Amino acid sequence: HFISDPPMHCAIFSGCLYQEYRDSSKKQEVEQRRQCEGTAAQAPALQLQLRSHTRSLSLWQNLPAVQESGLLTHLPQKEVILQEAIFELVTSEASYYKSLELLETHFLRNPSLFSTLSHSDMHFLFSNIEDVIKASERFLMDLEHRIEESILISDVCDIVHHHAANYFSVFITYVINQGYQEKSYRRILQENGPFREIMSQLENHPRVRGLSFTSFLILPFQRITRLKLLVQNILKKVEENSEREMNAVKAHKELEQIVKECNEGVRKMNRTEELIGIEKTLEFKSKSVPVISHSRWLLKKGEVLQMAGPKNTRTLRSKKLYQPIYLFLFNNLLLITKHSSSNEKFQVLDSCSRSMLRTEDMDDQGQMLACVFVLKLLENQEERTVSYMMKTSCMSDKLRWIYALTPNLRTRFLSASAHQTDCPQVQCIQSYSSQEPDELSIEMADVLQVLEKTEDGWILGERLHDGERGWFPCRVVEGILNFELRAQNLRECQRIQLAQGGASRGRRTHKQSKPTWSSESHQE
């Protein structure tokens, strides 16, 4: 491997694995916003940096070469902050490469583990990880060469753009295969005793510091998404209308496209499998509706109670009034079903195009109807207008169904695109993985605009850095109360959007221009 005699900068960080860096960095982001809550308009002195402990990455300004140069005595504070953002991108890439190297040498190249697996199982488990490692090695080499040129780092986003445009497509292949990878790993663990025994020994080895094999397998997707955020952080700090801003915009757009293709590839595979599974459970009494389509995916499913009969105080308390039904809501179709007598299939009772659905909340009709809403099908499968009165188990479930069934319904608070600083924001303090299709997976330090909030502990939010929406529990976030901090978050979001919009016309020309340095020459 090329790091036989590492440069001074990256040698300092060789002890930190990427998983450790990532966890510490996100905790630090959360702490910095908390500190900022107690100040007026002051932004955190340094964002996205690690607290100093034995396994942390150092700051650029703490490097002996920087301190001895005298730069810090006359360098503007804005430039110091920018240097830290640039430096973190490089040092975290070194940490990431170290973790990849450990995946390769400790797991992939282990002869004992290799002997327990067939050729096909090796491919299922490791996919094209060797291509990812090569791309990361090439990328890190160019970043190191840039740092060696000067103590004051000129830029790194031009390097990021070049590699993202020419070499990072290997990430897309790897991430899309991760679904098969996870299933294969579970199957092999269950069926292959020798593999299970050796894997246990490898995971308990001091080299991996208590980290699991799967934490190494998911590194590429974690890194490509984190790299986009690191470039975004640089973009917030560079001078407006400068070459560094242009490079940051181009790099961010390339990374955003890669992350988008990764997400879409994973979703497409999962959605197709899900549709096939759902169609097998459906029984149509009359007109059959084809469920499987390339342009269709599941948004929400679950049981609600249909209310029937006269609506008075006495019957509302009667259990006979409520009949359980099961809803399958897709992006362009609603199926209303009920469990068959065997309870293994669903009988389709009605269907309607999603665009022909309307809802009415009944919470203003008294406590008895607090969890009740009316669903109107303007044109059902029989081309008739019908209404259903639905009851859910709780308030949050009712609101989640209403917003899923009628997505254009106005939320209590405005989207981030409205740039209203009086709208509530929260930051994630504990990662959350979505359990339902209408939920949003969020990670520590994510900042989200609150669109809706229920009394029983759920929030509909919009993540600022990518605009993704979904529900998540209140317990995993905390409010950002400082007005100036909320305003700063929106300004940074708006600046990125404006910069990208202004650079889009020149993107093709920039992409064709050749860099002044050569990755291939370094590889030699």
Side-chain angles (χ1 to χ4, degrees), residues 433-450:
S433 296
S434 60
Q435 307 298 310
E436 300 288 341
D438 65 335
E439 293 179 9
L440 181 66
S441 292
I442 56 177
E443 297 205 0
M444 187 180 291
D446 280 352
V447 176
L448 304 106
Q449 189 97 339
V450 175

Side-chain angles (χ1 to χ4, degrees), residues 314-495:
R314 185 177 177 182
T315 57
L316 283 171
R317 291 194 178 98
S318 171
K319 290 184 178 179
K320 293 180 180 179
L321 178 67
Y322 308 111
Q323 297 297 324
I325 59 174
Y326 202 92
L327 305 181
F328 289 95
L329 178 64
F330 305 94
N331 62 309
N332 53 9
L333 175 70
L334 171 69
L335 296 180
I336 300 176
T337 75
K338 70 174 183 178
H339 283 286
S340 64
S341 55
S342 65
N343 219 33
E344 294 178 355
K345 288 185 177 287
F346 297 93
Q347 292 180 358
V348 179
L349 306 174
D350 209 345
S351 65
C352 182
S353 168
R354 189 178 177 220
S355 62
M356 302 296 283
L357 300 175
R358 300 293 184 269
T359 57
E360 181 187 352
D361 197 344
M362 303 293 286
D363 63 349
D364 59 349
Q365 303 294 313
Q367 187 62 33
M368 202 71 78
L369 297 174
C371 294
V372 175
F373 69 96
V374 174
L375 172 63
K376 180 178 282 190
L377 280 57
L378 299 181
E379 188 177 301
N380 73 346
Q381 61 188 19
E382 297 173 354
E383 299 181 355
R384 292 189 298 113
T385 299
V386 293
S387 292
Y388 294 88
M389 187 170 277
M390 308 289 197
K391 184 176 182 180
T392 60
S393 59
C394 59
M395 287 288 289
S396 59
D397 201 26
K398 181 190 72 172
L399 276 177
R400 286 170 66 167
W401 271 115
I402 287 175
Y403 283 118
L405 290 161
T406 46
N408 294 326
L409 200 65
R410 184 170 180 175
T411 53
R412 193 191 317 182
F413 305 109
L414 296 176
S415 164
S417 59
H419 303 293
Q420 295 292 320
T421 53
D422 56 343
C423 289
Q425 292 177 9
V426 293
Q427 71 167 337
C428 178
I429 56 173
Q430 178 187 335
S431 295
Y432 176 74
S433 296
S434 60
Q435 307 298 310
E436 300 288 341
D438 65 335
E439 293 179 9
L440 181 66
S441 292
I442 56 177
E443 297 205 0
M444 187 180 291
D446 280 352
V447 176
L448 304 106
Q449 189 97 339
V450 175
L451 303 177
E452 188 63 73
K453 189 174 182 180
T454 70
E455 293 179 1
D456 53 354
W458 284 85
I459 290 175
L460 175 63
E462 177 183 86
R463 188 162 45 215
L464 288 190
H465 76 74
D466 62 6
E468 290 283 327
R469 291 186 179 191
W471 293 88
F472 48 87
C474 293
R475 60 180 168 79
V476 301
V477 298
E478 64 182 16
I480 298 176
L481 305 178
N482 185 285
F483 175 85
E484 287 297 333
L485 185 53
R486 293 201 305 271
Q488 177 186 314
N489 291 336
L490 287 176
R491 282 196 303 271
E492 290 174 348
C493 179
Q494 187 178 22
R495 183 187 173 187

Side-chain angles (χ1 to χ4, degrees), residues 156-185:
V156 291
C157 288
D158 55 335
I159 299 174
V160 176
H161 173 250
H162 172 73
H163 283 264
N166 294 286
Y167 305 116
F168 283 2
S169 60
V170 294
F171 281 92
I172 301 170
T173 305
Y174 184 86
V175 172
I176 290 175
N177 286 334
Q178 271 192 279
Y180 291 127
Q181 193 179 52
E182 291 166 7
K183 290 176 184 176
S184 297
Y185 181 57

Side-chain angles (χ1 to χ4, degrees), residues 63-82:
L63 291 174
V66 174
Q67 293 189 336
E68 292 167 8
S69 69
L71 266 175
L72 296 175
T73 59
H74 59 81
L75 204 62
Q77 182 64 16
K78 282 187 176 180
E79 183 62 33
V80 174
I81 293 172
L82 176 58

